[in-house]
């Protein structure tokens, strides 16, 4: 693809930006650099979309049927097994993401030391949110233990959950963004947008359930007391 792509003026100029169309403009601009038919790009899109779909479908199925807990004879073993599968799928997603970036051209304006340092900073911030979320939640809290009936005393509100909601998801998004900037990859930037959109959908699906089960737990504890 040619790198002679229109800049912000393609959306009417910075002075008259319609922010409701900002995401669309960014996507259109990035698509000018990307070959969507590239098999590596397609594989990255598929793994990005599949992973949250997989863990939500399996977790909801377990919550309704307890089939995994029965098969493993323990909700903890079932949760550990699902967590291991999610980790493997995430490794595959990151591999496909990287291969898609390497198979397509770099963006010259991002291929410089300053952008590289920004990418490293994003990786640092993202990793901090991901790791601190994991330590705050523990393995079962991170990997959907609430769907297996493994609940904490209350929802976690310590760092990083006192900074923003869903820090695991947004930390992961920051990691992908940093990785894309380090590689000066418009393909990586576009895929990061897809990651953020997919996570947003997952949050809309997961948040009401999490709030509901902890509300039920609090109500049950109140009645017993």
């Amino acid at each position: 693809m040619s790198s002679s792509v229109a800049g912000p003026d393609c959306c009417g100029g910075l002075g008259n930006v319609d922010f409701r169309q900002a995401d669309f403009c960014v996507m259109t601009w990035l698509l000018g650099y990307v070959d969507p038919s590239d098999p590596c790009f397609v594989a990255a899109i598929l793994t990005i979309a599949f992973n949250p779909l997989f863990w939500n479908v399996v977790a909801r199925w377990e919550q309704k049927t307890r089939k995994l807990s029965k098969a493993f004879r323990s909700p903890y073993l079932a949760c550990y097994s699902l967590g291991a599968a999610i980790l493997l799928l995430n490794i595959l997603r990151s591999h496909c993401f990287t291969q898609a970036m390497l198979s397509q051209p770099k963006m010259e304006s991002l291929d410089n030391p300053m952008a590289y340092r920004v990418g490293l900073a994003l990786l640092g911030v993202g990793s901090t949110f991901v790791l601190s979320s994991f330590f705050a939640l523990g393995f079962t809290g991170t990997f959907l233990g609430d769907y297996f009936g493994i609940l904490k005393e209350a929802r976690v509100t310590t760092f990083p959950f006192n900074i923003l909601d869903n820090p695991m998801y947004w930390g992961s998004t920051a990691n992908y963004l940093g990785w894309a900037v380090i590689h000066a990859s418009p393909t990586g930037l576009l895929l990061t947008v897809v990651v953020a959109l997919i996570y947003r959908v997952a949050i809309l699906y997961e948040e009401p359930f999490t709030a509901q089960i902890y509300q039920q737990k609090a109500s049950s504890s109140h009645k017993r007391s």
Side-chain angles (χ1 to χ4, degrees):
M1 289 283 181
S2 171
S3 61
S4 57
V5 182
D9 286 341
C10 71
C11 299
L14 290 175
N16 298 301
V17 171
D18 182 352
F19 289 101
R20 292 171 299 178
Q21 298 180 10
D23 291 341
F24 174 77
C25 292
V26 170
M27 293 283 282
T28 302
W29 176 60
L30 289 175
L31 280 170
Y33 288 91
V34 178
D35 177 10
S37 65
D38 176 30
C40 292
F41 181 82
V42 173
I45 291 288
L46 291 176
T47 54
I48 289 168
F50 175 77
N51 287 11
L53 176 65
F54 166 78
W55 69 60
N56 274 293
V57 168
V58 172
R60 286 295 178 100
W61 174 68
E62 162 63 17
Q63 189 264 334
K64 291 178 180 178
T65 67
R66 298 297 182 217
K67 290 286 182 71
L68 282 177
S69 293
K70 292 174 184 176
F72 286 93
R73 300 183 179 180
S74 165
Y76 285 90
L77 285 177
C79 183
Y80 295 150
S81 299
L82 178 60
I86 292 171
L87 285 171
L88 290 173
L89 285 171
N90 286 346
I91 291 171
L92 176 62
R93 177 181 61 184
S94 296
H95 172 75
C96 292
F97 187 101
T98 302
Q99 291 304 307
M101 289 195 301
L102 297 177
S103 69
Q104 301 211 32
K106 289 186 176 184
M107 182 185 294
E108 291 183 8
S109 59
L110 275 182
D111 196 9
N112 61 74
M114 178 60 73
Y116 187 86
R117 287 193 288 269
V118 170
L120 288 178
L122 286 167
L123 281 175
V125 171
S127 297
T128 298
F129 280 127
V130 169
L131 292 175
S132 59
S133 297
F134 180 81
F135 288 129
L137 293 172
F139 191 94
T140 56
T142 299
F143 294 105
L144 306 166
D146 42 3
Y147 291 81
F148 294 81
I150 306 169
L151 301 178
K152 292 185 172 294
E153 290 301 316
R155 294 191 70 172
V156 175
T157 56
T158 56
F159 181 83
F161 294 89
N162 60 346
I163 303 295
L164 77 167
D165 293 331
N166 306 289
M168 181 75 74
Y169 282 161
W170 300 127
S172 176
T173 303
N175 283 339
Y176 281 115
L177 178 58
W179 196 232
V181 172
I182 284 173
H183 285 80
S185 172
T187 299
L189 295 176
L190 179 60
L191 290 174
T192 301
V193 173
V194 177
V195 168
L197 291 174
I198 294 295
Y199 276 160
R200 182 59 183 158
V201 172
I203 289 167
L204 291 174
Y205 188 72
E206 295 168 10
E207 267 305 300
F209 175 79
T210 303
Q212 179 186 0
I213 60 174
Y214 278 100
Q215 184 177 14
Q216 291 173 348
K217 178 180 172 62
S219 298
S220 299
S221 299
H222 179 72
K223 289 177 181 178
R224 286 196 299 269
S225 61

